Amino acid sequence: MADIPENAPQHCPGTGSTEAGKSSACQGCPNQSICASAATSAPDPAIEEIKEKMSLVKHKILVLSGKGGVGKSTFSAHLAHGLAQDEGKEVALLDVDICGPSIPRMMGLEGEQVHQSGSGWSPVYVEDNLAVMSVGFLLSSPDDAVIWRGPKKNGMIKQFLRDVDWGEVDYLIVDTPPGTSDEHLSVVQYLSAAGIDGAVIVTTPQEVSLQDVRKEINFCRKVKLPIIGVVENMSGFICPKCENESQIFPPTTGGAEKMCTDLNVSLLGKVPLDPNIGKSCDTGKSFFTEIPDSPATLSYRIIIQRIQDYCEKKK
Amino acid sequence: MEQTQDGGNLSGVHHIILVLSGKGGVGKSTISTEIALALRHAGKKVGILDVDLCGPSIPRMLNAQSKDVHQCDSGWVPVYVDQEKSISLMSIGFLLEKPDDAVVWRGPKKNALIKQFVSDVAWGDLDFLIIDTPPGTSDEHISTVDALRPFNPMGALLVTTPQAVSVGDVRRELTFCKKTGLRVIGIVENMSGYVCPHCTECTNIFSKGGGEELARLSGVPFLGCVPLDPLLSQSLEQGKDLMQEFPNSAAYPAISSITRQILDMASPQS
């Protein structure tokens, strides 16, 4: 159902369907014989190749959210920084947000390019044990827009998973765009044989955001992706002058806490709004080193510990 | 798709505005909703088409999430928010059985629905049709711009927040507009500055001035800054009209000024 080519005739049943090559819409389609031979319904050979590649990766974590701008990339970047503080661990961060890659800037890697080597694309290293890959490294100018439809984005994601030379890695963190569409289906599909430890879902406290996040949780259940837990970001703001707390994005329906009880998923923690977080993301620095004592940093540490515990227990 | 060359269901629509942003969560739906409400205050008839298929927010923001879409001879009847039928809405949110159902669709299916949304909704006579989009520069955007090209849209309103991370994505969206030949009406900077309710100290949580700077560098009009305002989020959460419920909100003057500029730009055209 999901694999109708761009240039397919109307009512194309999809190349993977049992009707492929046989339905009335297939009459006259130049690819009819390929579809009818069932070659297209076999699983993509890349899935096996990716499994091979991923056998060197111990833990794979997806960062998801139905809603945009809730802090997926901020969270992914700092999950990577936090895990990489243990020098014995190798961490990789993959940005599959093809149309809006934010990871290069947040990691202070704007303008970096990817190099080709015999064993594939070499990722860009922030530290000795922290490797990053993003479509942002493949663009020639910061104004370049990637105006691609689904199939091209999927091809890129496949290449990222199959052709990047990560080496031996303890944690692979995958940052995704908002929604429940091509990018998400592709990552889950391509990693299906290799196995994903689970997904971390990021939300903000308002209902407008939670309603999209509930959809994302349903998506995870549909594709049988385990959920590590939910992070509530931007929850409360402490005024730097008077130190009183106020709710910029009020949790009118009980916030993430109530949603987690209702849907039976665990709440990993709440992160308050801190203007310094935005600033350190803009300048590409880790706020673990910039603002080590901020309440936001402390709650990040607890969340990262919980994720680590979850992954260790799974092994 | 081209069965009716004379405009079909969009023939009674005067101005089409797309609300775009490369970045998610910057307030596209918020700005769409508030501008629609402000245009209504100016006595205009407004339609909102929500093409964010994976995360439709508009129904909730206008307190219409429980309504249904009906069929008529000329297509789908949009949902009316009020008795006077001054704001009409169409969103995938109205077509889902359960509000939490996930729409797990790849591009081609999304494109087919967008084409239907553009051609099959019986809007009737509208002064403005506002099109709210998901973040990015992909299937939904290409399809919407393609489908609307025959109707000569007035242009695109780009929404950003002040941080560099967000402005970077909006720069890409500007390139998208250039490549697809879509006029840019202007840039709106949302969430710029937050006034603490306890001590009235203004903090720039997501920094400041990024949108204005971008507008200057790229030579497109800058329409204004909308401050972070808990009253604004509250009114949207409950589906209320900001202008009626909270007339002294800090966001109110910003939104009415943006709306006035849009009206000014629209008047010489018609």
Side-chain angles (χ1 to χ4, degrees):
Chain A
M1 92 199 203
D3 40 11
I4 298 170
E6 279 293 287
N7 53 355
Q10 257 192 338
H11 309 299
C12 166
T15 53
S17 124
T18 48
E19 284 294 296
K22 294 171 198 143
S23 87
S24 58
C26 300
Q27 300 295 331
C29 173
N31 290 322
Q32 185 187 6
S33 57
I34 304 175
C35 281
S37 71
T40 49
S41 60
D44 190 331
I47 295 178
E48 277 306 307
E49 291 168 45
I50 289 168
K51 184 184 173 191
E52 191 74 32
K53 190 113 203 171
M54 289 294 151
S55 59
L56 296 172
V57 178
K58 277 199 204 123
H59 302 290
K60 298 158 212 84
I61 301 168
L62 247 57
V63 179
L64 298 173
S65 172
K67 182 99 189 100
V70 296
K72 285 178 295 303
S73 303
T74 306
F75 182 79
S76 306
H78 288 87
L79 177 58
H81 273 306
L83 290 170
Q85 280 189 331
D86 176 354
E87 278 168 22
K89 295 260 189 285
E90 292 289 327
V91 183
L93 174 58
L94 171 63
D95 180 8
V96 302
D97 190 341
I98 308 286
C99 295
S102 316
I103 291 290
R105 180 177 277 272
M106 288 189 187
M107 301 302 267
L109 297 174
E110 269 201 314
E112 293 281 344
Q113 295 283 321
V114 163
H115 299 282
Q116 191 88 1
S117 76
S119 41
W121 282 341
S122 309
V124 178
Y125 284 84
V126 190
E127 278 158 59
D128 287 342
N129 61 339
L130 177 50
V132 181
M133 187 69 200
S134 163
V135 78
F137 300 142
L138 306 173
L139 303 175
S140 51
S141 121
D143 285 321
D144 267 5
V146 179
I147 309 175
W148 289 355
R149 290 187 183 267
K152 257 182 116 168
K153 295 194 284 191
N154 301 336
M156 189 83 237
I157 292 171
K158 190 201 286 185
Q159 274 190 292
F160 276 160
L161 292 169
R162 190 185 56 190
D163 301 340
V164 176
D165 179 25
W166 297 107
E168 265 189 59
V169 170
D170 293 287
Y171 290 96
L172 171 69
I173 299 153
V174 183
D175 182 29
T176 63
T180 51
S181 189
D182 283 291
E183 292 90 337
H184 313 83
L185 280 168
S186 298
V187 172
V188 172
Q189 218 166 42
Y190 287 135
L191 288 175
S192 58
I196 301 172
D197 286 56
V200 177
I201 297 177
V202 186
T203 185
T204 52
Q206 330 87 295
E207 176 57 27
V208 173
S209 171
L210 292 172
Q211 64 177 8
D212 290 353
V213 172
R214 279 193 213 102
K215 288 178 198 282
E216 198 74 37
I217 292 174
N218 278 331
F219 166 83
C220 292
R221 295 195 167 145
K222 257 190 196 171
V223 300
K224 303 203 171 54
L225 180 64
I227 298 170
I228 301 178
V230 175
V231 174
E232 185 179 88
N233 198 11
M234 310 192 192
S235 98
F237 169 68
I238 297 157
C239 173
K241 193 173 168 211
C242 68
E243 304 201 332
N244 278 313
E245 190 175 347
S246 54
Q247 298 292 335
I248 298 185
F249 302 111
T252 51
T253 54
E257 206 159 345
K258 177 150 186 308
M259 179 189 75
C260 286
T261 348
D262 288 351
L263 298 175
N264 195 21
V265 291
S266 51
L267 179 66
L268 293 171
K270 296 183 181 182
V271 183
L273 261 175
D274 182 337
N276 291 314
I277 295 185
K279 238 173 263 164
S280 57
C281 286
D282 272 2
T283 49
K285 291 186 183 129
S286 157
F287 53 74
F288 288 117
T289 49
E290 294 289 299
I291 39 163
D293 304 323
S294 152
T297 315
L298 300 177
S299 87
Y300 255 96
R301 285 205 187 279
I302 297 169
I303 293 167
I304 292 173
Q305 191 56 48
R306 289 195 175 139
I307 294 171
Q308 252 174 318
D309 292 346
Y310 174 96
C311 291
E312 293 303 326
K313 229 189 289 167
K314 248 201 132 175
K315 275 282 138 162
Chain B
M1 188 178 99
E2 269 105 29
Q3 70 274 57
T4 40
Q5 279 298 348
D6 56 343
N9 273 323
L10 286 177
S11 56
V13 177
H14 288 289
H15 303 289
I16 300 175
I17 298 174
L18 286 100
V19 179
L20 298 177
S21 170
K23 182 103 188 93
V26 296
K28 286 177 294 302
S29 304
T30 302
I31 298 288
S32 305
T33 305
E34 291 307 327
I35 287 181
L37 290 168
L39 286 169
R40 174 175 74 174
H41 279 267
K44 303 289 178 191
K45 277 195 85 161
V46 192
I48 306 180
L49 173 60
D50 181 5
V51 301
D52 189 345
L53 305 182
C54 294
S57 311
I58 295 282
R60 166 122 212 151
M61 290 183 171
L62 284 162
N63 199 15
Q65 63 271 45
S66 54
K67 304 230 169 110
D68 281 323
V69 165
H70 299 282
Q71 292 273 353
C72 73
D73 287 346
S74 44
W76 279 329
V77 185
V79 167
Y80 294 101
V81 176
D82 47 9
Q83 285 284 302
E84 301 82 53
K85 298 189 173 183
S86 53
I87 295 187
S88 44
L89 289 183
M90 188 68 202
S91 164
I92 194 169
F94 301 129
L95 307 174
L96 300 177
E97 250 170 67
K98 279 186 276 159
D100 295 342
D101 277 350
V103 176
V104 188
W105 287 0
R106 287 188 185 265
K109 255 183 119 166
K110 294 195 283 193
N111 300 337
L113 185 66
I114 288 173
K115 273 186 200 161
Q116 256 189 302
F117 271 169
V118 168
S119 60
D120 295 353
V121 179
W123 295 107
D125 284 326
L126 289 181
D127 295 302
F128 287 92
L129 176 64
I130 297 174
I131 300 183
D132 183 28
T133 63
T137 50
S138 190
D139 284 290
E140 291 91 336
H141 312 85
I142 307 173
S143 301
T144 308
V145 173
D146 277 352
L148 288 174
R149 192 161 289 129
F151 307 105
N152 195 17
M154 178 177 158
L157 199 65
L158 300 188
V159 185
T160 185
T161 51
Q163 323 93 294
V165 171
S166 169
V167 171
D169 284 352
V170 177
R171 276 173 82 169
R172 300 191 189 100
E173 200 74 37
L174 274 171
T175 309
F176 170 83
C177 293
K178 227 175 272 165
K179 280 197 181 168
T180 52
L182 189 64
R183 189 183 147 209
V184 177
I185 299 176
I187 293 179
V188 174
E189 181 177 298
N190 192 20
M191 308 194 194
S192 58
Y194 172 67
V195 177
C196 172
H198 304 287
C199 67
T200 65
E201 165 87 355
C202 181
T203 313
N204 295 320
I205 299 185
F206 301 111
S207 103
K208 172 115 189 125
E212 193 162 4
E213 170 95 9
L214 174 67
R216 201 169 45 77
L217 285 177
S218 48
V220 294
F222 181 69
L223 301 183
C225 295
V226 181
L228 262 176
D229 181 356
L231 291 177
L232 178 59
S233 358
Q234 199 188 329
S235 74
L236 290 163
E237 288 270 287
Q238 296 160 355
K240 285 183 178 152
D241 186 342
L242 178 78
M243 319 224 150
Q244 263 165 22
E245 303 282 330
F246 307 106
N248 40 16
S249 144
Y252 175 75
I255 286 162
S256 34
S257 140
I258 293 167
T259 309
R260 210 171 318 114
Q261 293 175 63
I262 292 174
L263 282 169
D264 285 347
M265 272 184 234
S267 52
Q269 276 194 352
S270 53

